[in-house]
Amino acid sequence: MAHVAHAEAQAGHELSFWRKYIFSQDHKVIGIQYALTSMFMAVLGGLLAMFIRLQLGWPGQSWPLLGRLFPSGMPDGQMNQAFYLASVTMHGTIMIFFVLTTLLTGGFGNFLIPLMIGARDMAFPFLNMLSYWLYPPAIIILLASFFVSGGAAGGGWTAYPPLSALPGAAPGSGLGQTLWLISLALLILAFLFGSLNYITTILQLRARGLSMMRLPLTIWGLFVTAILSLLAFPVLLAAAIMLLFDRIGGTSFFVPAGLLIGSVPVDHRGGNPLLWQHLFWFLGHPEVYVLILPPMGMISDILANNARKPIFGYRFMVGSIVAIAFLSFLVWGHHMYTSGMAPVLGTAFMTTTLVIAVPSAIKTFNWLATLWRAKIRFTSAMLFALGFLSLFVTGGLTGIVLAQPPVDIYFQDTFFVVAHFHFVMASAAIFASFAGTYYWFPKMFGRMMNERLGKWHFWLTFVGIYATFFPMHYAGFMGMMRRIYSPQIYAHLQGLQPLNVFVSIAAFVLFAAQFIFLYNFFRSLFRGPQAERNPWRATTLEWEAPSPPPHLNWGETLPTVQRWAYDYSPPDMAEDFQPQAAPAAVPTGRSREGRGDGGHAR
Amino acid sequence: MAQRVLEQMKSLEATRTAGGNGPRAPAGNGGGSGWSREEAAPAATVRVGLWFLLTAVTMLFIAFTVAYAARRTAPDWAPIALPPILWVNTGLLGASSATLEWARRRGRRGDAAGVRGGLTVTTLFGAAFLVGQIAAWRELAAAGVFMATSPHSAFFHLLTAVHGLHLLGGLGALGYALRRTAAPAPAGPVLGGEDLTSAVLGSVAIYWHFLTVLWLYVFFIIWS
Ligand code: HEM
Ligand SMILES: [Cu+2]
């Protein structure tokens, strides 16, 4: 097999269509496959959010047209409870695992890692292909669950037992939940294969001269994320296997004694539902950082490029990525303050949680310092990067509020939490993905995206996000709980209805604005102006390769790296940037040797 | 799991065609064929990937252990009588690790027939272990102890099943090593002077010994 691949590689582009675009082992193709599939899932996940907002904005309203499209979920056009809960669950599941994780690591990670470190491909190309090809089956199984009896899982993306363990507990607890677990297990394998590859590739295949402390922060973010995934996802896999055993094998890992379903006693005893929560959040919290560390890295590179300044405090940026990753394993309890944990334990988790704010703040201040007195180039990518900063700070601040048990006991399971993580995680990660797409699209496809549409997209999305999620803080304040079909039946929440209508309309506008992006993306794919090799005048290695890079990325010789990734606006030079691989320039004035080895240059 | 290991082995195979460039050697330096993708996976790289794979598997079993420890404190915990055949199985697996080491030693002496013999015996011991594990399940079932009978038996079945799946992957890796080492002598050093046979065997051995140790661990916690 290797002989065949080798021969083909030598012969250039003689791979069959099938091996070139479908079962490809080329990291760029796999990255684009991951990205496009994630985009498709994002549209689905977004549609589900529209269903959620439809119900919360106009509860009990009949939508005859939709009724005809979804006869079982919306009989007579009225959404039923099971469909609402399935929408909430599947929205969360899809967005977190099937969109953001796959897009950031599978999409950007695959495309960028070999290019940015000057390698020809991943360390294990076959494993990489396998990783992608576990993803579509996982999707099919997940989506099939909408059509089985009882419908898709409805127990939330966190799948707490006993709701998720007992098939009779709720409509979605039937076959739908089993499929959910199987689908997730497949996807976890995909993530693990991917992570193994990313780690090994970054450790082993860096171009000559590219020491770890010369890596662009995008690569640092992806590298630490891969380690995080490798340590955290097996734990979720273990929990998922045990939950499947409980569901199918009749064991009692998580199901306690004495439960009744429809006044019939359940045949399980002695299990511990809190155990699931511990295992889940031991993964779950690192998982949220899986979704934010790659964006942090990407944003750093895009900010530096568009500010035409070196990133401020490179070593601190690397250190804070590592610190955040380490701490993220010690904070899972902050999702369980209301589970009756000992107050001492609560205080301990509060402390670790608040400590995480320190490296997060370091990063934020370093970004601001990078922007300080810069002549900023306001490209679409840059706008989204700046938007990321805003969203991350807004969401981070409410994190500090929630970290305190006495406060959180009130806020737990309200829309305040929904607002928190939609700012700090969901929106921030999406903004970084948009920034990354506008920035790397020319490299991926050899064409430029339309900047004017990009700016429209940015402003509508930015305003739309704040309009959608900011009022949710207030709803949470007033006690509106999340994951509830009809919160309006409570007298104290009825006054919130105008607010909910406003949020729903904002959400629809936000969703609609994304079609500007989709239009821009697909139009530029075919009609965009040809991209140069290095349209943003960037320093990092991927811009040394042609746009788009050929199979195996580089010509006869691999690039050799001379300096760190942030040599923007070096003094005494004609150009306002020095590519990492450019041969050492003859200094015209003072010597520039010292800048070669990392971040303490300034 | 099986595929993961197999793939790493496949990548290793690829190094043969690449003329054995070091992991970071820039292409183009290593002669005419030095620019193929295959150069990306020399033995050292496989080794790194392997260690991270083992890390992931370890995390999986740490999670099971935590669950086991937590579940044991519940009032309904009642230990089951474990079938004595487990001791035999343990012996088989231990023996398989020993024969694998023997095969490696033969390999270092350039004794190809010895390598093949050692690998074959290792594979047979490994397969016998799996058969023995299934026999243990059946023995329990005959005594009326099933997966859902008690939490202890649930964990017994869970842990042996997951360990067994990983071992199945290990058998695949052994089979691959058998095939690889049967091929004609490799072209040049792969891993810092190591030849292909010892590189393949070394990687397979890391995984296989890991599984042996993992079984000892599982056996220990499930017995105690
Ligand atoms: C300053 C740092 C942060 C602090 C102190 C913090 C604190 C918290 C706390 C205490 C909760 C639990 C709220 C509850 O359920 O009652 C929470 C929920 C959450 N946080 Fe954060 N957070 C921080 C940053 C982040 C980041 C960076 C992300 C993602 C990238 C994130 C994602 C989430 C998610 C997804 C949830 C909700 C999970 C769910 O229940 O569905 N947080 N956060
Ligand atoms: Cu958390």
Side-chain angles (χ1 to χ4, degrees):
Chain A
M1 206 205 105
H3 281 289
V4 179
H6 185 65
E8 277 161 355
Q10 295 261 311
H13 292 272
E14 283 166 28
L15 295 170
S16 67
F17 171 81
W18 210 241
R19 295 259 330 259
K20 200 166 161 193
Y21 296 111
I22 311 293
F23 295 106
S24 170
Q25 299 188 20
D26 184 323
H27 72 100
K28 298 182 291 298
V29 178
I30 297 174
I32 290 167
Q33 285 174 327
Y34 255 120
L36 292 180
T37 318
S38 305
M39 267 164 78
F40 167 75
M41 290 307 278
V43 173
L44 274 188
L47 267 178
L48 289 169
M50 298 303 104
F51 281 117
I52 299 172
R53 285 319 312 180
L54 208 58
Q55 169 65 15
L56 292 179
W58 300 272
Q61 177 91 28
S62 179
W63 313 89
L65 188 67
L66 290 175
R68 244 171 286 153
L69 285 174
F70 304 95
S72 56
M74 301 181 73
D76 308 321
Q78 231 173 328
M79 192 180 305
N80 64 28
Q81 195 155 341
F83 188 69
Y84 177 79
L85 293 175
S87 297
V88 173
T89 302
M90 298 299 259
H91 166 71
T93 306
I94 289 178
M95 287 305 198
I96 288 182
F97 295 114
F98 287 78
V99 174
L100 288 176
T101 315
T102 49
L103 177 64
L104 290 166
T105 59
F108 286 106
N110 256 315
F111 187 86
L112 293 177
I113 288 173
L115 281 169
M116 290 183 100
I117 67 170
R120 299 208 177 273
D121 207 311
M122 288 286 179
F124 310 118
F126 180 82
L127 195 64
N128 208 18
M129 175 180 83
L130 202 65
S131 163
Y132 174 74
W133 281 105
L134 285 168
Y135 179 27
I139 291 176
I140 291 170
I141 294 173
L142 189 77
L143 297 185
S145 74
F146 273 107
F147 303 99
V148 301
S149 112
W157 79 279
T158 52
Y160 282 6
L163 208 53
S164 57
L166 299 172
S173 304
L175 185 52
Q177 186 75 50
T178 304
L179 293 177
W180 186 93
L181 283 166
I182 294 173
S183 158
L184 203 64
L186 280 182
L187 199 66
I188 290 173
L189 284 183
F191 293 155
L192 290 176
F193 292 167
S195 302
L196 272 179
N197 236 331
Y198 310 148
I199 296 173
T200 312
T201 305
I202 293 172
L203 284 179
Q204 293 295 112
L205 303 186
R206 297 190 310 278
R208 177 181 285 177
L210 187 55
S211 62
M212 289 302 273
M213 290 313 278
R214 280 178 171 180
L215 284 177
L217 288 166
T218 300
I219 298 299
W220 266 107
L222 289 163
F223 177 63
V224 175
T225 294
I227 294 178
L228 218 54
S229 308
L230 203 73
L231 296 177
F233 274 113
V235 178
L236 182 63
L237 186 60
I241 293 172
M242 285 193 278
L243 192 53
L244 272 174
F245 268 49
D246 271 7
R247 295 179 57 82
I248 298 171
T251 56
S252 304
F253 293 117
F254 301 123
V255 189
L259 289 182
L260 302 176
I261 290 185
S263 61
V264 181
V266 165
D267 204 18
H268 294 262
R269 64 208 126 73
N272 185 353
L274 279 185
L275 181 60
W276 169 270
Q277 295 194 20
H278 281 293
L279 293 174
F280 184 90
W281 286 116
F282 185 82
L283 156 95
H285 191 86
E287 162 68 7
V288 305
Y289 284 96
V290 164
L291 303 188
I292 209 68
L293 293 179
M296 285 174 163
M298 288 154 59
I299 288 310
S300 305
D301 287 355
I302 294 171
L303 283 179
N305 173 264
N306 285 289
R308 311 307 293 165
K309 279 179 62 184
I311 194 79
F312 186 87
Y314 175 81
R315 277 162 196 272
F316 274 92
M317 293 303 246
V318 173
S320 54
I321 288 178
V322 175
I324 289 175
F326 174 74
L327 288 169
S328 75
F329 282 106
L330 306 177
V331 301
W332 79 92
H334 67 219
H335 296 276
M336 299 171 62
Y337 287 146
T338 55
S339 68
M341 66 166 57
V344 178
L345 211 55
T347 310
F349 278 121
M350 174 183 81
T351 312
T352 51
T353 303
L354 289 177
V355 170
I356 279 209
V358 175
S360 309
I362 289 178
K363 299 198 83 73
T364 307
F365 285 118
N366 282 356
W367 286 320
L368 293 179
T370 306
L371 296 175
W372 181 250
R373 304 181 66 174
K375 284 202 281 299
I376 296 176
R377 225 168 42 185
F378 287 100
T379 57
S380 304
M382 184 61 168
L383 288 174
F384 274 100
L386 295 171
F388 169 94
L389 286 191
S390 162
L391 297 167
F392 183 72
V393 170
T394 306
L397 289 177
T398 51
I400 295 173
V401 174
L402 291 171
Q404 304 159 59
V407 186
D408 181 68
I409 285 172
Y410 176 79
F411 278 135
Q412 155 91 72
D413 250 334
T414 67
F415 264 78
F416 194 86
V417 175
V418 178
H420 160 67
F421 69 77
H422 276 88
F423 274 107
V424 77
M425 176 177 75
S427 308
I430 295 254
F431 264 52
S433 308
F434 282 136
T437 308
Y438 285 108
Y439 185 71
W440 280 295
F441 188 93
K443 188 54 63 186
M444 290 184 175
F445 302 107
R447 290 179 186 271
M448 305 297 289
M449 285 182 83
N450 184 311
E451 279 288 314
R452 193 201 218 356
L453 286 177
K455 281 170 191 156
W456 273 100
H457 174 222
F458 168 76
W459 284 109
L460 285 170
T461 307
F462 187 68
V463 174
I465 291 257
Y466 268 95
T468 304
F469 295 113
F470 207 78
M472 288 184 186
H473 291 113
Y474 182 73
F477 242 87
M478 301 304 286
M480 181 168 157
M481 48 299 249
R482 63 194 279 214
R483 293 174 176 164
I484 286 209
Y485 171 62
S486 47
Q488 304 83 1
I489 59 170
Y490 297 101
H492 72 285
L493 298 179
Q494 276 158 9
L496 290 176
Q497 212 38 42
L499 184 104
N500 274 319
V501 170
F502 174 81
V503 168
S504 290
I505 292 173
F508 297 155
V509 173
L510 178 60
F511 185 64
Q514 303 320 305
F515 286 90
I516 302 178
F517 170 78
L518 288 179
Y519 172 78
N520 192 353
F521 186 95
F522 287 105
R523 207 193 106 94
S524 306
L525 216 51
F526 302 104
R527 295 276 172 78
Q530 295 285 340
E532 311 161 27
R533 191 175 52 83
N534 188 0
W536 311 121
R537 305 165 58 72
T539 53
T540 39
L541 286 182
E542 75 275 27
W543 304 103
E544 300 290 325
S547 302
H551 189 50
L552 303 176
N553 300 344
W554 320 98
E556 277 292 322
T557 41
L558 291 172
T560 305
V561 171
Q562 306 290 344
R563 58 188 67 74
W564 72 325
Y566 299 97
D567 221 357
Y568 286 111
S569 304
D572 316 327
M573 290 201 46
E575 293 277 6
D576 68 347
F577 72 111
Q578 269 230 79
Q580 277 192 284
V586 184
T588 52
R590 112 178 180 258
S591 163
R592 308 215 35 79
E593 300 304 323
R595 320 189 81 233
D597 65 348
H600 57 171
R602 295 227 149 169
Chain B
M1 299 297 158
Q3 268 149 323
R4 273 199 238 183
V5 181
L6 269 181
E7 177 40 34
Q8 282 161 348
M9 297 302 115
K10 282 220 183 79
S11 306
L12 185 57
E13 168 178 33
T15 56
R16 212 162 68 88
T17 43
N21 273 342
R24 300 220 192 115
N29 288 5
S33 71
W35 60 282
S36 101
R37 175 215 295 145
E38 277 74 17
E39 79 174 319
T45 301
V46 173
R47 221 46 79 75
V48 170
L50 186 56
W51 281 112
F52 279 100
L53 168 72
L54 298 189
T55 310
V57 180
T58 305
M59 284 308 291
L60 185 70
F61 278 86
I62 287 179
F64 286 136
T65 308
V66 170
Y68 185 77
R71 189 66 180 78
R72 262 179 93 132
T73 60
D76 69 330
W77 185 268
I80 55 169
L82 290 173
I85 190 180
L86 292 177
W87 290 105
V88 179
N89 298 349
T90 307
L92 285 170
L93 199 56
S96 76
S97 266
T99 52
L100 184 54
E101 274 310 302
W102 185 82
R104 282 182 74 192
R105 198 155 307 159
R106 294 281 90 191
R108 255 172 259 138
R109 304 229 177 101
D111 171 7
V115 169
R116 270 197 303 284
L119 281 178
T120 311
V121 176
T122 307
T123 313
L124 288 178
F125 274 142
F129 170 83
L130 278 187
V131 174
Q133 296 289 78
I134 292 170
W137 287 355
R138 296 183 55 128
E139 219 170 286
L140 279 178
V145 179
F146 299 95
M147 193 161 75
T149 303
S150 82
H152 190 209
S153 83
F155 271 105
F156 175 76
H157 283 86
L158 173 72
L159 292 171
T160 47
V162 177
H163 176 265
L165 278 178
H166 285 85
L167 202 97
L168 220 51
L171 287 179
L174 283 174
Y176 170 79
L178 254 175
R179 228 189 60 211
R180 269 301 328 123
T181 48
V190 179
L191 175 74
E194 230 180 315
D195 62 46
L196 184 80
T197 303
S198 17
V200 171
L201 285 185
S203 297
V204 173
I206 291 174
Y207 186 68
W208 192 260
H209 295 328
F210 172 80
L211 289 177
T212 302
V213 174
L214 185 62
W215 166 249
L216 292 178
Y217 171 73
V218 165
F219 193 34
F220 172 75
I221 63 168
I222 212 87
W223 194 278
S224 59

